[in-house]
Amino acid sequence: MNRNDLRRVDFHLLVVFETLMHERSVTHAAEKLFLGQPAISAALARLRHLFNDPLFVRAGRTMEPTSRALEIYRHLHPALDSITQALSTTQAFDPFTSYSTFRIGLSDDVEFSLFPRLLRQLRYTAPNVTLVIRRANYLAMPDLLHSSDISLGVCCMRDLPADIRCKELRRAYPKVLRADTAPEPLSLETYCSRPHALVSFAGDLSGCIDTHLSKMGCRRKVILAVSDFSCLGALLSGTDIIATVPDYLAAALQTRDKLRTEDVPFEVPAFTLSLAWRSAQDNDPAEFWLRALVQSHFGNSVPPIVA
């Protein structure tokens, strides 16, 4: 096929093909593209004729791509990224008049403690945009970005693929949350002997704090593991349980749930909260604006809200 042959190609079909590669389901692809299932089935039939290959075969409840489909996707995915980027650079973006929908992935600590401030700013500067927030952590972030379920994500990142850009937003330090009224700060011995609540996405009973304690020959007593940071205040209230959380989250929980915060009674390195996005969206004006807003409101230096 040469450039003149491209006139015969309906580029809508290529978007359907990419979505089917991500979703492996006609139903889910139809939902993602806001189309009916018959429209996706008809597009798949045309794709099969175009490439002279079945492309997807039924395997239980999913549709698995053929080897030909995998080869097509390997070339098509970066090409669609390039086309998207080329078209985006020609369009201006006015947040105040925009009706865009932005899909953002946030870890729950970020969603609870930092996102509300950004939302208030968005209601002033971009009153007509729509936000879709997806719960994400470092494990889920690459897949959510690659599938375009989100356009950017914020959490503590690890081992990102080469086509995903990452920018540090802030350095955060752990703080101890406690609900008891004992006036003295916790010593290392008391810290280890008190019952602990731990937030764990995978249901583990240990984390980075336990790694540092182990290096010191110490061990804490974790008696509760939950999957969500925002519930910690209610769980700690009226008990002697303590929790170790990021400083920005400790500040939000302290204000909402009338908890006390204090420094961890041993030296712990800071960790990094980062912003990630696909490199193909570097020059998209709308995404560039959104990334700048996230950086200004999620970073260590936060500007005042415009009223």
Side-chain angles (χ1 to χ4, degrees), residues 39-88:
I40 299 298
S41 296
L44 178 57
R46 292 175 63 191
L47 283 163
R48 286 168 168 164
H49 176 74
L50 176 66
F51 292 111
N52 192 28
D53 188 86
L55 297 178
F56 298 92
V57 294
R58 179 68 59 183
R61 295 185 177 181
T62 64
M63 300 176 65
E64 294 301 318
T66 64
S67 57
R68 172 72 169 139
L70 292 172
E71 178 67 14
I72 294 168
Y73 180 75
R74 186 172 69 85
H75 294 287
L76 180 64
H77 185 62
L80 288 177
D81 279 345
S82 297
I83 292 171
T84 301
Q85 183 173 347
L87 293 175
S88 297

Short mmCIF file of all heavy atoms in Angstrom, two decimals, residues 39-88:
data_model
loop_
_atom_site.label_atom_id
_atom_site.label_comp_id
_atom_site.label_asym_id
_atom_site.label_seq_id
_atom_site.Cartn_x
_atom_site.Cartn_y
_atom_site.Cartn_z
N ALA A 39 -22.61 -1.57 15.33
CA ALA A 39 -21.65 -0.72 14.63
C ALA A 39 -20.23 -1.27 14.77
O ALA A 39 -19.44 -1.27 13.81
CB ALA A 39 -21.71 0.71 15.16
N ILE A 40 -19.88 -1.76 15.97
CA ILE A 40 -18.55 -2.34 16.18
C ILE A 40 -18.42 -3.64 15.40
O ILE A 40 -17.37 -3.91 14.79
CB ILE A 40 -18.30 -2.58 17.68
CG1 ILE A 40 -18.36 -1.26 18.46
CG2 ILE A 40 -16.94 -3.25 17.89
CD1 ILE A 40 -17.33 -0.24 18.05
N SER A 41 -19.46 -4.47 15.39
CA SER A 41 -19.41 -5.73 14.64
C SER A 41 -19.24 -5.46 13.14
O SER A 41 -18.48 -6.15 12.45
CB SER A 41 -20.69 -6.54 14.89
OG SER A 41 -20.80 -6.91 16.25
N ALA A 42 -19.95 -4.44 12.64
CA ALA A 42 -19.82 -4.09 11.22
C ALA A 42 -18.42 -3.58 10.92
O ALA A 42 -17.82 -3.92 9.87
CB ALA A 42 -20.86 -3.04 10.85
N ALA A 43 -17.86 -2.78 11.83
CA ALA A 43 -16.50 -2.28 11.64
C ALA A 43 -15.50 -3.43 11.65
O ALA A 43 -14.54 -3.44 10.86
CB ALA A 43 -16.16 -1.26 12.72
N LEU A 44 -15.70 -4.40 12.54
CA LEU A 44 -14.80 -5.55 12.60
C LEU A 44 -14.86 -6.35 11.30
O LEU A 44 -13.82 -6.82 10.80
CB LEU A 44 -15.16 -6.43 13.80
CG LEU A 44 -14.33 -7.72 13.96
CD1 LEU A 44 -12.84 -7.40 14.06
CD2 LEU A 44 -14.79 -8.47 15.21
N ALA A 45 -16.05 -6.49 10.74
CA ALA A 45 -16.18 -7.20 9.46
C ALA A 45 -15.40 -6.49 8.35
O ALA A 45 -14.71 -7.13 7.54
CB ALA A 45 -17.65 -7.33 9.09
N ARG A 46 -15.47 -5.17 8.35
CA ARG A 46 -14.72 -4.41 7.34
C ARG A 46 -13.22 -4.49 7.57
O ARG A 46 -12.42 -4.56 6.63
CB ARG A 46 -15.18 -2.95 7.37
CG ARG A 46 -16.62 -2.74 6.90
CD ARG A 46 -17.05 -1.30 7.06
NE ARG A 46 -16.24 -0.41 6.21
CZ ARG A 46 -16.25 0.92 6.31
NH1 ARG A 46 -17.01 1.50 7.25
NH2 ARG A 46 -15.50 1.66 5.52
N LEU A 47 -12.82 -4.51 8.83
CA LEU A 47 -11.39 -4.66 9.15
C LEU A 47 -10.87 -6.01 8.68
O LEU A 47 -9.75 -6.12 8.15
CB LEU A 47 -11.19 -4.51 10.67
CG LEU A 47 -11.22 -3.09 11.23
CD1 LEU A 47 -11.41 -3.10 12.74
CD2 LEU A 47 -9.92 -2.35 10.88
N ARG A 48 -11.65 -7.06 8.89
CA ARG A 48 -11.25 -8.39 8.44
C ARG A 48 -11.08 -8.44 6.93
O ARG A 48 -10.16 -9.08 6.42
CB ARG A 48 -12.28 -9.42 8.92
CG ARG A 48 -12.19 -9.73 10.42
CD ARG A 48 -13.37 -10.50 10.94
NE ARG A 48 -13.11 -11.01 12.29
CZ ARG A 48 -14.04 -11.45 13.11
NH1 ARG A 48 -15.33 -11.43 12.73
NH2 ARG A 48 -13.71 -11.90 14.32
N HIS A 49 -11.97 -7.75 6.23
CA HIS A 49 -11.85 -7.69 4.77
C HIS A 49 -10.63 -6.87 4.35
O HIS A 49 -9.89 -7.25 3.44
CB HIS A 49 -13.13 -7.08 4.18
CG HIS A 49 -13.07 -6.89 2.69
ND1 HIS A 49 -13.17 -7.94 1.79
CD2 HIS A 49 -12.88 -5.76 1.93
CE1 HIS A 49 -13.06 -7.48 0.57
NE2 HIS A 49 -12.90 -6.16 0.62
N LEU A 50 -10.40 -5.75 5.07
CA LEU A 50 -9.28 -4.87 4.74
C LEU A 50 -7.94 -5.58 4.89
O LEU A 50 -7.06 -5.47 4.03
CB LEU A 50 -9.32 -3.62 5.63
CG LEU A 50 -8.15 -2.63 5.49
CD1 LEU A 50 -8.17 -1.98 4.11
CD2 LEU A 50 -8.25 -1.55 6.57
N PHE A 51 -7.79 -6.33 5.98
CA PHE A 51 -6.52 -6.99 6.27
C PHE A 51 -6.48 -8.46 5.86
O PHE A 51 -5.47 -9.13 6.04
CB PHE A 51 -6.20 -6.87 7.77
CG PHE A 51 -5.91 -5.47 8.21
CD1 PHE A 51 -6.78 -4.77 9.04
CD2 PHE A 51 -4.74 -4.83 7.79
CE1 PHE A 51 -6.50 -3.48 9.45
CE2 PHE A 51 -4.45 -3.53 8.20
CZ PHE A 51 -5.34 -2.85 9.02
N ASN A 52 -7.61 -8.95 5.33
CA ASN A 52 -7.68 -10.34 4.87
C ASN A 52 -7.23 -11.31 5.97
O ASN A 52 -6.40 -12.20 5.75
CB ASN A 52 -6.82 -10.53 3.62
CG ASN A 52 -7.08 -11.87 2.93
OD1 ASN A 52 -8.19 -12.41 3.03
ND2 ASN A 52 -6.07 -12.41 2.27
N ASP A 53 -7.81 -11.10 7.16
CA ASP A 53 -7.44 -11.92 8.31
C ASP A 53 -8.58 -11.87 9.31
O ASP A 53 -9.25 -10.83 9.43
CB ASP A 53 -6.16 -11.39 8.95
CG ASP A 53 -5.60 -12.32 10.03
OD1 ASP A 53 -4.86 -13.25 9.68
OD2 ASP A 53 -5.93 -12.09 11.21
N PRO A 54 -8.82 -12.94 10.08
CA PRO A 54 -9.88 -12.90 11.11
C PRO A 54 -9.63 -11.85 12.19
O PRO A 54 -10.57 -11.37 12.82
CB PRO A 54 -9.86 -14.32 11.70
CG PRO A 54 -9.19 -15.16 10.67
CD PRO A 54 -8.22 -14.28 9.97
N LEU A 55 -8.37 -11.54 12.46
CA LEU A 55 -7.93 -10.54 13.43
C LEU A 55 -8.22 -10.93 14.88
O LEU A 55 -7.33 -10.83 15.73
CB LEU A 55 -8.55 -9.17 13.13
CG LEU A 55 -8.16 -8.55 11.79
CD1 LEU A 55 -8.87 -7.21 11.60
CD2 LEU A 55 -6.66 -8.38 11.67
N PHE A 56 -9.46 -11.35 15.19
CA PHE A 56 -9.81 -11.75 16.55
C PHE A 56 -10.60 -13.07 16.50
O PHE A 56 -11.47 -13.23 15.64
CB PHE A 56 -10.67 -10.69 17.25
CG PHE A 56 -9.97 -9.36 17.41
CD1 PHE A 56 -10.10 -8.38 16.44
CD2 PHE A 56 -9.17 -9.12 18.51
CE1 PHE A 56 -9.45 -7.17 16.58
CE2 PHE A 56 -8.52 -7.90 18.66
CZ PHE A 56 -8.66 -6.92 17.69
N VAL A 57 -10.28 -13.97 17.41
CA VAL A 57 -11.00 -15.24 17.50
C VAL A 57 -11.56 -15.39 18.90
O VAL A 57 -10.95 -14.95 19.88
CB VAL A 57 -10.08 -16.43 17.16
CG1 VAL A 57 -9.66 -16.39 15.70
CG2 VAL A 57 -8.86 -16.47 18.06
N ARG A 58 -12.72 -16.00 19.00
CA ARG A 58 -13.39 -16.15 20.29
C ARG A 58 -12.64 -17.15 21.17
O ARG A 58 -12.26 -18.23 20.74
CB ARG A 58 -14.82 -16.64 20.06
CG ARG A 58 -15.63 -16.88 21.32
CD ARG A 58 -15.95 -15.61 22.07
NE ARG A 58 -16.71 -14.66 21.26
CZ ARG A 58 -17.04 -13.46 21.69
NH1 ARG A 58 -16.65 -13.05 22.89
NH2 ARG A 58 -17.73 -12.65 20.92
N ALA A 59 -12.38 -16.75 22.43
CA ALA A 59 -11.73 -17.62 23.42
C ALA A 59 -12.46 -17.42 24.73
O ALA A 59 -12.13 -16.53 25.52
CB ALA A 59 -10.25 -17.30 23.56
N GLY A 60 -13.49 -18.24 24.96
CA GLY A 60 -14.32 -18.05 26.14
C GLY A 60 -15.12 -16.77 26.02
O GLY A 60 -15.82 -16.56 25.04
N ARG A 61 -14.97 -15.89 27.01
CA ARG A 61 -15.71 -14.63 26.99
C ARG A 61 -14.94 -13.49 26.36
O ARG A 61 -15.44 -12.36 26.30
CB ARG A 61 -16.09 -14.25 28.42
CG ARG A 61 -17.06 -15.23 29.09
CD ARG A 61 -17.47 -14.72 30.46
NE ARG A 61 -18.45 -15.61 31.08
CZ ARG A 61 -19.00 -15.40 32.27
NH1 ARG A 61 -18.65 -14.31 32.97
NH2 ARG A 61 -19.88 -16.25 32.76
N THR A 62 -13.74 -13.74 25.90
CA THR A 62 -12.93 -12.69 25.30
C THR A 62 -12.61 -13.02 23.85
O THR A 62 -12.83 -14.13 23.38
CB THR A 62 -11.61 -12.49 26.08
OG1 THR A 62 -10.84 -13.69 25.98
CG2 THR A 62 -11.89 -12.18 27.53
N MET A 63 -12.09 -12.03 23.15
CA MET A 63 -11.66 -12.20 21.76
C MET A 63 -10.14 -12.02 21.73
O MET A 63 -9.64 -10.94 22.04
CB MET A 63 -12.35 -11.18 20.87
CG MET A 63 -13.87 -11.28 20.87
SD MET A 63 -14.64 -9.98 19.89
CE MET A 63 -14.06 -10.40 18.25
N GLU A 64 -9.44 -13.07 21.37
CA GLU A 64 -7.99 -13.02 21.35
C GLU A 64 -7.49 -12.63 19.97
O GLU A 64 -7.98 -13.14 18.95
CB GLU A 64 -7.40 -14.37 21.77
CG GLU A 64 -7.67 -14.74 23.21
CD GLU A 64 -7.11 -13.71 24.17
OE1 GLU A 64 -5.97 -13.25 23.94
OE2 GLU A 64 -7.81 -13.36 25.14
N PRO A 65 -6.50 -11.74 19.89
CA PRO A 65 -5.98 -11.31 18.58
C PRO A 65 -5.15 -12.41 17.92
O PRO A 65 -4.47 -13.18 18.59
CB PRO A 65 -5.12 -10.10 18.93
CG PRO A 65 -4.72 -10.33 20.35
CD PRO A 65 -5.86 -11.04 21.00
N THR A 66 -5.22 -12.45 16.61
CA THR A 66 -4.38 -13.36 15.85
C THR A 66 -2.96 -12.79 15.78
O THR A 66 -2.71 -11.64 16.15
CB THR A 66 -4.92 -13.56 14.44
OG1 THR A 66 -4.86 -12.28 13.75
CG2 THR A 66 -6.37 -14.05 14.46
N SER A 67 -2.04 -13.59 15.28
CA SER A 67 -0.67 -13.10 15.14
C SER A 67 -0.61 -11.94 14.15
O SER A 67 0.19 -11.01 14.31
CB SER A 67 0.24 -14.24 14.68
OG SER A 67 -0.23 -14.81 13.47
N ARG A 68 -1.46 -11.97 13.13
CA ARG A 68 -1.53 -10.86 12.17
C ARG A 68 -2.01 -9.58 12.87
O ARG A 68 -1.47 -8.50 12.64
CB ARG A 68 -2.46 -11.23 11.03
CG ARG A 68 -2.79 -10.12 10.05
CD ARG A 68 -1.64 -9.78 9.17
NE ARG A 68 -2.05 -8.90 8.09
CZ ARG A 68 -1.34 -7.88 7.65
NH1 ARG A 68 -0.16 -7.62 8.19
NH2 ARG A 68 -1.77 -7.14 6.66
N ALA A 69 -3.01 -9.71 13.75
CA ALA A 69 -3.51 -8.54 14.48
C ALA A 69 -2.44 -7.95 15.39
O ALA A 69 -2.30 -6.72 15.49
CB ALA A 69 -4.74 -8.94 15.30
N LEU A 70 -1.68 -8.80 16.04
CA LEU A 70 -0.61 -8.32 16.92
C LEU A 70 0.45 -7.56 16.12
O LEU A 70 0.98 -6.54 16.58
CB LEU A 70 0.03 -9.49 17.66
CG LEU A 70 -0.86 -10.20 18.69
CD1 LEU A 70 -0.18 -11.46 19.19
CD2 LEU A 70 -1.15 -9.26 19.86
N GLU A 71 0.75 -8.06 14.92
CA GLU A 71 1.75 -7.38 14.07
C GLU A 71 1.22 -6.03 13.60
O GLU A 71 1.94 -5.03 13.59
CB GLU A 71 2.07 -8.28 12.88
CG GLU A 71 3.06 -7.68 11.88
CD GLU A 71 4.46 -7.51 12.46
OE1 GLU A 71 4.75 -8.10 13.53
OE2 GLU A 71 5.27 -6.80 11.84
N ILE A 72 -0.07 -5.99 13.21
CA ILE A 72 -0.67 -4.72 12.79
C ILE A 72 -0.65 -3.71 13.93
O ILE A 72 -0.29 -2.54 13.75
CB ILE A 72 -2.12 -4.96 12.31
CG1 ILE A 72 -2.13 -5.80 11.03
CG2 ILE A 72 -2.84 -3.63 12.08
CD1 ILE A 72 -3.50 -6.31 10.65
N TYR A 73 -1.01 -4.17 15.12
CA TYR A 73 -1.06 -3.27 16.28
C TYR A 73 0.32 -2.70 16.60
O TYR A 73 0.44 -1.53 16.98
CB TYR A 73 -1.62 -4.02 17.48
CG TYR A 73 -1.72 -3.17 18.73
CD1 TYR A 73 -2.71 -2.20 18.86
CD2 TYR A 73 -0.79 -3.32 19.76
CE1 TYR A 73 -2.80 -1.41 20.00
CE2 TYR A 73 -0.88 -2.53 20.90
CZ TYR A 73 -1.87 -1.58 21.01
OH TYR A 73 -1.94 -0.81 22.13
N ARG A 74 1.34 -3.52 16.45
CA ARG A 74 2.71 -3.06 16.75
C ARG A 74 3.08 -1.86 15.90
O ARG A 74 3.76 -0.94 16.37
CB ARG A 74 3.69 -4.21 16.51
CG ARG A 74 5.12 -3.88 16.93
CD ARG A 74 5.98 -5.13 16.85
NE ARG A 74 6.19 -5.56 15.48
CZ ARG A 74 7.15 -5.09 14.68
NH1 ARG A 74 7.97 -4.15 15.12
NH2 ARG A 74 7.28 -5.53 13.45
N HIS A 75 2.61 -1.82 14.65
CA HIS A 75 2.91 -0.68 13.78
C HIS A 75 1.87 0.43 13.92
O HIS A 75 2.20 1.62 13.83
CB HIS A 75 2.94 -1.14 12.31
CG HIS A 75 4.05 -2.08 11.98
ND1 HIS A 75 5.36 -1.68 11.88
CD2 HIS A 75 4.04 -3.42 11.76
CE1 HIS A 75 6.12 -2.72 11.59
NE2 HIS A 75 5.35 -3.79 11.52
N LEU A 76 0.61 0.05 14.16
CA LEU A 76 -0.48 1.02 14.15
C LEU A 76 -0.49 1.91 15.39
O LEU A 76 -0.75 3.11 15.30
CB LEU A 76 -1.82 0.28 14.03
CG LEU A 76 -3.07 1.16 14.00
CD1 LEU A 76 -3.06 2.05 12.75
CD2 LEU A 76 -4.33 0.29 14.02
N HIS A 77 -0.21 1.33 16.55
CA HIS A 77 -0.32 2.08 17.80
C HIS A 77 0.54 3.35 17.81
O HIS A 77 0.02 4.44 18.06
CB HIS A 77 0.04 1.16 18.97
CG HIS A 77 -0.17 1.79 20.31
ND1 HIS A 77 -1.41 2.20 20.77
CD2 HIS A 77 0.71 2.08 21.32
CE1 HIS A 77 -1.28 2.71 21.98
NE2 HIS A 77 -0.02 2.66 22.33
N PRO A 78 1.84 3.26 17.50
CA PRO A 78 2.63 4.51 17.47
C PRO A 78 2.21 5.45 16.35
O PRO A 78 2.33 6.67 16.47
CB PRO A 78 4.07 4.01 17.29
CG PRO A 78 3.96 2.63 16.75
CD PRO A 78 2.69 2.07 17.30
N ALA A 79 1.70 4.88 15.23
CA ALA A 79 1.26 5.73 14.12
C ALA A 79 0.05 6.57 14.53
O ALA A 79 -0.02 7.77 14.23
CB ALA A 79 0.91 4.87 12.90
N LEU A 80 -0.90 5.97 15.24
CA LEU A 80 -2.06 6.73 15.71
C LEU A 80 -1.66 7.78 16.74
O LEU A 80 -2.23 8.87 16.78
CB LEU A 80 -3.11 5.78 16.30
CG LEU A 80 -3.86 4.90 15.30
CD1 LEU A 80 -4.80 3.95 16.03
CD2 LEU A 80 -4.63 5.75 14.31
N ASP A 81 -0.67 7.45 17.57
CA ASP A 81 -0.14 8.45 18.50
C ASP A 81 0.40 9.66 17.75
O ASP A 81 0.17 10.81 18.13
CB ASP A 81 0.97 7.83 19.37
CG ASP A 81 0.42 7.01 20.53
OD1 ASP A 81 -0.78 7.15 20.83
OD2 ASP A 81 1.19 6.24 21.11
N SER A 82 1.15 9.40 16.69
CA SER A 82 1.75 10.49 15.91
C SER A 82 0.69 11.33 15.23
O SER A 82 0.79 12.56 15.18
CB SER A 82 2.71 9.90 14.86
OG SER A 82 3.77 9.22 15.47
N ILE A 83 -0.35 10.68 14.69
CA ILE A 83 -1.43 11.42 14.04
C ILE A 83 -2.15 12.30 15.06
O ILE A 83 -2.45 13.47 14.82
CB ILE A 83 -2.43 10.44 13.38
CG1 ILE A 83 -1.76 9.74 12.19
CG2 ILE A 83 -3.69 11.18 12.92
CD1 ILE A 83 -2.59 8.61 11.61
N THR A 84 -2.43 11.73 16.25
CA THR A 84 -3.10 12.49 17.31
C THR A 84 -2.28 13.70 17.71
O THR A 84 -2.81 14.81 17.87
CB THR A 84 -3.33 11.59 18.55
OG1 THR A 84 -4.13 10.47 18.17
CG2 THR A 84 -4.01 12.36 19.66
N GLN A 85 -0.97 13.50 17.85
CA GLN A 85 -0.10 14.60 18.24
C GLN A 85 -0.07 15.67 17.16
O GLN A 85 -0.11 16.87 17.45
CB GLN A 85 1.30 14.08 18.51
CG GLN A 85 2.27 15.15 19.01
CD GLN A 85 3.60 14.56 19.44
OE1 GLN A 85 3.73 13.35 19.58
NE2 GLN A 85 4.59 15.40 19.61
N ALA A 86 0.01 15.26 15.88
CA ALA A 86 0.06 16.22 14.78
C ALA A 86 -1.21 17.07 14.72
O ALA A 86 -1.16 18.28 14.51
CB ALA A 86 0.27 15.49 13.46
N LEU A 87 -2.36 16.44 14.91
CA LEU A 87 -3.62 17.19 14.88
C LEU A 87 -3.77 18.09 16.09
O LEU A 87 -4.30 19.19 15.99
CB LEU A 87 -4.80 16.20 14.81
CG LEU A 87 -4.91 15.38 13.52
CD1 LEU A 87 -6.04 14.37 13.64
CD2 LEU A 87 -5.14 16.29 12.32
N SER A 88 -3.29 17.63 17.24
CA SER A 88 -3.46 18.40 18.47
C SER A 88 -2.67 19.69 18.44
O SER A 88 -3.10 20.72 18.98
CB SER A 88 -3.02 17.57 19.68
OG SER A 88 -3.84 16.43 19.83
#
